[in-house]
Amino acid sequence: MKNSKKIFSILLALIMALSISLTGCKASKKPSPTRYTPTTPRTTPAPSPGMTTPAPSRVPTTPTPTTPAPTTPTPAKKPVPQSVRAAKIASNVAKLPEVNKATVVISGNTAIVGIDMKASVQGTHETQVKKKVEKTVRDTDKGIKNVSVTSDPDLYTRINNIAKGIAAGRPLSEFTKQITEILKRITPSA
């Protein structure tokens, strides 16, 4: 009996040691991370006429993930050709009641304007018309800083020829000398 108790206790110790070693040496299993599953928002039917609506429940909701919309680059503005700008200015100046027709050449931020005035415009009234033309030019094109206006028929013809050449595709540099001469005749002190 003593022997059987001894064997039994050794066997029990051996089983315990074996079970401890098997369970104790095993890596502990970590809980798997919970996956995010979006919940669909609950909708409640619209109340029938005469029914009172219950207060909204204060159940926290998880925001649904949103992917940012792809951004498309805005196209860069193409610069407006000077001949188009000049034509727009000439058109607006020609709308003035004292002006028959107008022609414009733009050089940098300077507009050279030739106008053909109506026969009734003379003397001091001519100066007022030129000021109106300057204001119209600046209102039409904000990029213009200097405006030179002439009603001389010869200068009008020269400005018109330059404007036609530029509109036909000839470079402005081809007319630099003529533009300088015209500006000197319009404003001799310049």
Side-chain angles (χ1 to χ4, degrees), residues 3 10 57 64 89 98 104 107 114 127 141 148 157 166 181 188:
N3 239 353
I10 292 176
S57 63
T64 56
I89 293 170
E98 302 87 358
V104 178
S107 175
T127 307
D141 192 328
S148 296
T157 303
I166 292 171
E181 288 174 14

Side-chain angles (χ1 to χ4, degrees), residues 82 85-96 99 102-115 129-150:
Q82 288 187 349
R85 291 172 57 203
K88 183 178 179 184
I89 293 170
S91 172
N92 286 347
V93 169
K95 291 177 185 174
L96 294 174
V99 177
T103 185
V104 178
V105 171
I106 298 175
S107 175
N109 61 1
T110 301
I112 305 164
V113 184
I115 55 173
V129 171
K130 286 182 179 181
K131 287 185 181 183
K132 269 182 159 179
V133 169
E134 284 185 35
K135 182 179 181 332
T136 302
V137 170
R138 286 195 173 99
D139 289 346
T140 303
D141 192 328
K142 302 295 181 192
I144 300 297
K145 303 296 179 216
N146 306 310
V147 181
S148 296
V149 182
T150 183

Side-chain angles (χ1 to χ4, degrees), residues 51-125:
M51 288 185 67
T52 59
T53 56
S57 63
R58 303 257 181 216
V59 176
T61 59
T62 7
T64 56
T66 58
T67 55
T71 56
T72 55
T74 54
K77 286 187 177 181
K78 293 181 181 177
V80 179
Q82 288 187 349
S83 59
V84 173
R85 291 172 57 203
K88 183 178 179 184
I89 293 170
S91 172
N92 286 347
V93 169
K95 291 177 185 174
L96 294 174
E98 302 87 358
V99 177
N100 285 326
K101 55 186 176 177
T103 185
V104 178
V105 171
I106 298 175
S107 175
N109 61 1
T110 301
I112 305 164
V113 184
I115 55 173
D116 177 24
M117 286 198 262
K118 299 206 172 170
S120 61
V121 179
Q122 294 177 349
T124 57
H125 192 62

